[in-house]
Amino acid sequence: MDGAQAPGEAAQALTAILQTHYLRYLIIVSWALGLIATVGLAHGLLWFVATLAAGALRGEVEKRVSQSVGNGWGMVFPAVATGTTAVWAVAPLLAWFSHAPFGRELAIALLISGYVLVFAQLRSSPRQALLISSPYGAAAAIIAVSLIGDPVFWPFVALAPFTAASLFVLVTMTMLREERIRAFQEHQAHLIEELGAARDKADAANEAKSNFLGVISHELRTPMNGVLGAAQLLSATRLEGAQREYLAIIRNSGDNLLSLLNDILDMTKIEAGRMNFETVDVNLEDLHRRIVGPFEAQAEAKGLEFITEFEGDIPAVVRGDPLRVCQVVQNLLSNAIKFTDQGAVRFVARGRRISERRVAFEFAVTDSGAGISESDMGQLFQPFTQVDASSTRRFGGTGLGLTISRRLANIMGGEIFVTSKLGEGSTFTFAVEGEVVAWRGAETTAADDADMAGGDAMEVLVVEDHPVNRMILEAWMGSTGRRTSTAENGHEAIEAAFEQQFDLIIMDVNMPIMDGLTATRLIREGGGANAETPIIVLSASARNEDHEAGLAAGADAYLNKPIDFRSLSALMGHAKGGRGALRRLVAQAAESEAAAA
């Protein structure tokens, strides 16, 4: 008990007192009832009123002291508490000197209970408890002095060690219990600190994983751009039958590799909550052609009957993300054709009018394959899992397709349902709601790909460090009638941009000496002939943040590698209208994503 009062102990003690503040009045009432029954109504009520007043004063002081308890108590609280305890200590004196039949017994009971009350509330501060309970000691001393020469003197004095031992046990046990609580709280704080450190490590690992995927994306897409680009150019030349067969193998293998890469990246985006969705007007007839187009030939090649049907109320135009809807449905169609050896694959698009502005869609894909047993349904949508392990060796794939499809469906507010009978086939149904733009549509005009494909004699600067990619872009530009200049890095691009006027600049991002983003900024800031020339960024990364960095650097559009020449042709067609035309496309996409969010 030596040393100054620690602020922490002061806070604990005062908190305990404030928590039992209203119980104090219950004890005052119980003591008053005992006094009234023993010493009479007048003396009992007088003590009751005086104690209530002292309690109200003490409560007000305790509230004020609690606001600065972190700085220590000072002498304000102990002085006030000792004074109010002195009023309580009058009760055992009234009982003892009342000469009532039960007066002395009540006085002893009140003295001991008074000590217990003080030490129970101030168990974490024994020094304060001794000081504040001193009025009870004074009352006991007065009673002891009055008993000098009385045979009861020594029995009364013997109560002191008995009471002290009881108080010692009370304080010791409560302090031990609070010490265990403190130790538990410290252990809990340590665990929380360790969990926080583990969370930070996990966040850092997740960030490292994202960066790793960005690098891997670039490293894989760059050579794939050369493979698939060269295959596209080669397919336009005269080839023998065997050569065309080998070329088809190259293109199919490259497409499959790109699909596997996209699956892994999509799964990573979904888990990180970074999957972006567009909200644009979608023509259902165009969407249908886009969905089933690639699979009619696949089904025919396997000798399967491919059936498509429309049922119910199908609107002409809805708002949604056509890319993600295609991704989900095409995955279901791809699986149906892949795992069906004979029979038919049926694709049914159903519509149910909810209101004038809402429609419920069901895209059902039914096959006549082997079917799925009840026991295998549970693992159907698990990542990196296929029901039959041998199918991985036979058909390939990551086992992510259905997992990604269901999660995409859930993000769009829909769901995928499965019904299947072993040996008879399966039906996968993608259910989702959409916003109706028009139930009946006007005639739509498709983009004229031939017009966009060339014949405009554009002057194009191609900035690409990879010689194969540069050669492929030059060859394609030449086949479409465009004139091409090339640069191997950003520094060469800046020099070319200041020497010659271009209609379009195609800029790779990752290059030696100077990267594409730095070169784009310098071209925009240089004020030369190409300061307002449209720039399309070629990004080998599929991450949206990398695309946004390109746009922030001054580019007007971006295109992922491997290059889809159809998409590049469309962008070049818009680039004829200058930077504004490309910027409007990007702005529209950004607004759609914001509306979807």
Side-chain angles (χ1 to χ4, degrees), residues 491-562:
H491 181 71
E492 292 184 6
I494 293 174
E495 291 181 348
F498 280 101
E499 292 175 359
Q500 181 182 346
Q501 170 73 49
F502 294 100
D503 299 311
L504 176 67
I505 299 175
I506 298 177
M507 181 79 70
D508 189 24
V509 173
N510 294 309
M511 294 181 294
I513 302 178
M514 181 184 291
D515 64 88
L517 300 187
T518 302
T520 299
R521 291 191 192 94
L522 293 176
I523 290 173
R524 293 295 186 221
E525 296 169 0
N530 292 285
E532 291 301 318
T533 297
I535 297 179
I536 298 175
V537 168
L538 284 183
S539 174
S541 171
R543 300 195 309 167
N544 287 329
E545 48 265 44
D546 294 328
H547 297 161
E548 292 169 0
L551 298 176
D556 303 297
Y558 57 82
L559 190 65
N560 281 336
K561 291 182 179 179

Side-chain angles (χ1 to χ4, degrees), residues 74 105 111 147 227 314 402 426 436 454 468 493 506 517 559 591:
E105 290 81 356
L111 278 174
L147 289 176
V227 173
I314 304 293
L402 284 178
S426 308
V436 178
V468 175
I506 298 177
L517 300 187
L559 190 65
E591 290 174 1

Side-chain angles (χ1 to χ4, degrees), residues 503-505 524 533-536 551 555-558 570-588:
D503 299 311
L504 176 67
I505 299 175
R524 293 295 186 221
T533 297
I535 297 179
I536 298 175
L551 298 176
D556 303 297
Y558 57 82
L571 286 176
M572 293 181 70
H574 286 288
K576 298 174 188 177
R579 294 188 65 191
L582 290 180
R583 276 194 236 164
R584 281 192 291 272
L585 288 177
V586 175
Q588 182 181 2

Side-chain angles (χ1 to χ4, degrees), residues 328-395:
V328 173
V329 179
Q330 286 184 341
N331 180 266
L332 302 182
L333 285 170
S334 175
N335 286 342
I337 294 175
K338 182 191 298 184
F339 297 109
T340 303
D341 293 327
Q342 59 183 0
V345 172
R346 181 186 300 271
F347 172 58
V348 181
R350 301 186 184 93
R352 178 174 57 85
R353 186 191 297 253
I354 299 175
S355 67
E356 279 301 311
R357 306 300 298 172
R358 298 291 294 175
V359 62
F361 286 112
E362 285 188 357
F363 301 98
V365 178
T366 303
D367 63 65
S368 57
I372 305 167
S373 65
E374 288 289 336
S375 59
D376 290 330
M377 285 288 189
Q379 61 177 328
L380 194 60
F381 292 95
Q382 295 299 316
F384 303 104
T385 302
Q386 291 185 338
V387 171
D388 182 2
S390 64
S391 64
T392 304
R393 296 188 298 271
R394 182 181 174 191
F395 301 107

Side-chain angles (χ1 to χ4, degrees), residues 266-275 404 407-408 411:
D266 280 349
M267 193 68 184
T268 304
K269 289 179 183 178
I270 291 173
E271 289 179 347
R274 296 177 180 175
M275 180 64 76
I404 293 172
R407 295 193 183 183
L408 288 176
I411 294 173

Side-chain angles (χ1 to χ4, degrees), residues 69-227:
V69 71
N71 300 322
W73 287 0
M75 291 302 297
V76 178
F77 171 73
V80 173
T82 303
T84 56
T85 303
V87 180
W88 284 62
V90 172
L93 293 176
L94 288 175
W96 183 270
F97 293 107
S98 67
H99 302 293
F102 195 69
R104 291 191 171 188
E105 290 81 356
L106 178 62
I108 293 173
L110 293 176
L111 278 174
I112 295 175
S113 63
Y115 271 110
V116 170
L117 287 173
V118 173
F119 277 85
Q121 291 184 79
L122 300 173
R123 54 189 177 273
S124 61
S125 304
R127 287 183 61 199
Q128 298 292 338
L130 285 175
L131 175 62
I132 294 173
S133 64
S134 59
Y136 293 118
I142 293 172
I143 293 174
V145 169
S146 69
L147 289 176
I148 294 177
D150 193 302
V152 183
F153 175 78
W154 288 112
F156 179 80
V157 173
L159 290 176
F162 164 76
T163 304
S166 301
L167 294 176
F168 176 78
V169 171
L170 171 66
V171 171
T172 302
M173 291 183 66
T174 53
M175 289 183 70
L176 288 174
R177 183 179 64 203
E178 290 178 354
E179 184 62 31
R180 286 196 294 269
I181 293 173
R182 250 192 317 270
F184 173 77
Q185 290 174 338
E186 290 176 358
H187 178 65
Q188 193 176 40
H190 179 67
L191 289 178
I192 292 173
E193 184 179 350
E194 288 185 341
L195 287 174
R199 181 201 59 207
D200 293 340
K201 289 181 180 179
D203 291 341
N206 187 56
E207 182 66 24
K209 180 186 71 174
S210 298
N211 293 334
F212 172 76
L213 284 174
V215 173
I216 288 297
S217 170
H218 179 270
E219 295 303 322
L220 288 178
R221 287 172 180 269
T222 296
M224 284 174 63
N225 181 61
V227 173

